[in-house]
């Protein structure tokens, strides 16, 4: 849109313009290596980070209401973000849509396909994210969560190239792949791509549940499944709903693999 070429654009051009799988896969591999290095540096930076929960009596944040010119400038700035970032694009797209003659049967079919893919991604991603977030509370398994959520940092184009190359290894191609298998591959791609989006709110919710509460339930004879059903899931209800919403919005607005 802004005529600014990136590495992802080069992958697209090599793939569809030059019809070179080899060049596209090599550039995709380079991007994956760069992502892994950057995420490793990030993990080192946050390795010794610790959080301390303050009580309500610790008013370490002092709120200072804005007055006079500063109040109006701050309000104008926030309002301009909403107008230029939401209202004007929405009005412009609405005007463009009203000028078009729509084939509503096709539109509803495309909408149903988008909603179906987004729902499949939510149904598949949320339980996996919940399981990984639970396992990550054990220190030896903490790196597993970091590795599993690397996919969000990888461009969707790169991930699509990797999945299609994998299909080629098993003797399948886009032209002869069964529809059911294609949906499975698409769902798996969205799982890899958006697992981190689903894990983050669930992991944050788990951090708010003290381990002493779970130990108390265990001391009263509650099994692990019972603690999960009667204690953890009710306390994580808002976090799970948020994770589902985040994944649904990410998939519906981007569709990076389709």
């Amino acid at each position: 849109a802004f005529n600014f070429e990136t590495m992802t654009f080069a992958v697209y051009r090599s793939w569809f313009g030059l019809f070179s799988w080899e060049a596209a896969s090599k550039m995709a591999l380079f991007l994956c290596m760069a992502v892994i290095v950057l995420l490793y540096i990030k993990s080192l930076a946050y390795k010794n980070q610790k959080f301390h929960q303050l009580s309500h009596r610790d008013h370490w944040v002092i709120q200072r209401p804005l007055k006079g010119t500063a109040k109006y400038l701050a309000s104008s700035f926030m309002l301009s973000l909403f107008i230029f970032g939401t209202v004007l694009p929405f009005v412009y797209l609405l005007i463009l849509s009203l000028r078009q003659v729509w084939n509503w049967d096709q539109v509803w079919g495309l909408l149903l396909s988008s909603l179906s893919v987004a729902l499949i991604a939510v149904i598949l991603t949320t339980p996996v994210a919940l399981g990984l977030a639970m396992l990550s509370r054990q220190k030896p398994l903490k790196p597993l969560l970091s590795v599993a959520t690397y996919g969000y940092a990888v461009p969707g184009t790169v991930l699509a190239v990797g999945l299609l190359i994998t299909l080629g290894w098993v003797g399948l191609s886009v032209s002869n792949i069964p529809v059911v298998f294609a949906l499975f591959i698409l769902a798996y791609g969205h799982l890899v791509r958006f697992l981190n989006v689903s894990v983050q709110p669930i992991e944050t919710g788990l951090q708010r549940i003290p381990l002493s509460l779970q130990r108390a339930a265990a001391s009263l004879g509650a099994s692990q499944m019972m603690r999960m059903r009667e204690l953890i899931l009710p306390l994580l209800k808002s976090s799970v709903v948020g994770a589902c919403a985040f994944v649904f919005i990410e998939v519906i607005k981007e569709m990076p693999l389709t």
Side-chain angles (χ1 to χ4, degrees):
F2 298 102
N3 198 25
F4 189 80
E5 298 183 1
T6 61
M7 196 70 174
T8 306
F9 174 79
V11 175
Y12 268 118
R13 186 165 184 174
S14 301
W15 186 359
F16 294 105
L18 303 177
F19 301 101
S20 175
W21 276 97
E22 292 79 6
S25 61
K26 288 178 181 178
M27 283 185 283
L29 178 62
F30 175 78
L31 282 175
C32 288
M33 293 173 61
V35 166
I36 291 173
V37 171
L38 290 175
L39 289 176
Y40 178 71
I41 294 174
K42 176 245 182 186
S43 65
L44 291 179
Y46 286 93
K47 185 177 181 180
N48 297 321
Q49 191 177 38
K50 295 181 180 179
F51 298 93
H52 300 279
Q53 187 174 3
L54 299 176
S55 64
H56 295 291
R57 293 174 295 179
D58 297 323
H59 299 290
W60 62 278
V61 177
I62 302 175
Q63 297 181 359
R64 292 189 176 92
L66 296 176
K67 298 179 181 179
T69 305
K71 179 176 69 174
Y72 293 109
L73 286 176
S75 301
S76 301
F77 175 72
M78 300 302 293
L79 185 61
S80 66
L81 292 178
F82 175 70
I83 292 174
F84 290 104
T86 304
V87 177
L88 291 182
F90 176 77
V91 172
Y92 179 71
L93 292 175
L94 181 62
I95 293 173
L96 289 180
S97 65
L98 293 176
R99 293 176 181 174
Q100 300 292 327
V101 178
W102 294 98
N103 182 352
W104 289 106
D105 291 335
Q106 183 181 10
V107 171
W108 288 115
L110 294 174
L111 179 61
L112 182 61
S113 298
S114 299
L115 292 175
S116 301
V117 172
L119 287 174
I120 291 173
V122 169
I123 294 171
L124 186 63
T125 303
T126 306
V128 176
L130 182 60
L132 285 175
M134 291 293 297
L135 290 174
S136 68
R137 304 200 79 180
Q138 304 176 20
K139 267 195 170 182
L141 298 177
K142 186 71 175 177
L144 176 65
L145 183 64
S146 301
V147 174
T149 55
Y150 275 179
Y152 188 66
V154 178
T157 308
V158 175
L159 188 58
V161 170
L163 290 174
L164 291 176
I165 290 176
T166 305
L167 289 178
W169 287 345
V170 298
L172 295 174
S173 64
V174 180
S175 58
N176 63 5
I177 184 173
V179 177
V180 177
F181 193 64
L183 286 175
F184 172 77
I185 293 297
L186 186 61
Y188 176 76
H190 280 112
L191 171 64
V192 175
R193 181 78 169 86
F194 296 115
L195 185 60
N196 185 60
V197 178
S198 186
V199 164
Q200 290 298 328
I202 295 176
E203 190 177 23
T204 302
L206 280 174
Q207 290 175 355
R208 296 173 182 171
I209 303 175
L211 290 175
S212 58
L213 192 62
Q214 300 182 45
R215 294 192 185 105
S219 65
L220 294 174
S223 63
Q224 187 172 0
M225 186 60 67
M226 188 176 181
R227 294 198 303 270
M228 186 73 177
R229 186 179 65 252
E230 302 293 338
L231 177 65
I232 297 176
L233 286 181
L235 294 175
L236 284 179
K237 186 184 299 183
S238 59
S239 299
V240 172
V241 172
C244 294
F246 287 149
V247 173
F248 185 86
I249 292 171
E250 286 283 348
V251 175
I252 207 74
K253 76 181 179 65
E254 186 177 358
M255 291 292 175
L257 301 173
T258 55

